Amino acid sequence: MARGHQKIQSQQKNAKKQAEIKKSKGHDQKTAAKAALVFTCGVCRSQMPDPKPFKQHFESKHPKSPLPPELEGVEA
């Protein structure tokens, strides 16, 4: 019966260790991806990571709107 008790102790120790690792990590993939979305379209509030896809989005989705000043020098 000693093995049964050892098994329970080992599981508890491992759960505690995993919780500490998860706690120390501090961020997950979802928050990192959200932080990478830097550019926001002023018309539709869509978010993009780089200026190049932002300009492509703006030219295709909002052709009648004037180009924002942050996209003036960007090549699509």
Side-chain angles (χ1 to χ4, degrees):
M1 290 304 290
R3 183 61 192 147
H5 184 62
Q6 287 176 337
K7 181 180 176 183
I8 293 169
Q9 285 179 333
S10 177
Q11 288 174 344
Q12 290 173 344
K13 182 179 175 184
N14 189 31
K16 183 179 176 185
K17 184 177 178 183
Q18 293 298 325
E20 287 177 10
I21 290 172
K22 190 172 184 175
K23 185 178 174 184
S24 69
K25 196 181 258 188
H27 69 281
D28 58 351
Q29 189 174 13
K30 189 180 246 185
T31 55
K34 193 170 186 175
L37 298 174
V38 181
F39 296 96
T40 303
C41 178
V43 180
C44 64
R45 300 290 182 213
S46 179
Q47 295 180 328
M48 271 123 313
D50 296 322
K52 186 174 179 180
F54 181 31
K55 185 170 184 177
Q56 291 172 346
H57 159 82
F58 207 87
E59 290 173 344
S60 67
K61 301 291 183 182
H62 315 295
K64 295 180 181 179
S65 299
L67 202 62
E70 63 262 17
L71 295 179
E72 293 295 330
V74 177
E75 294 182 22

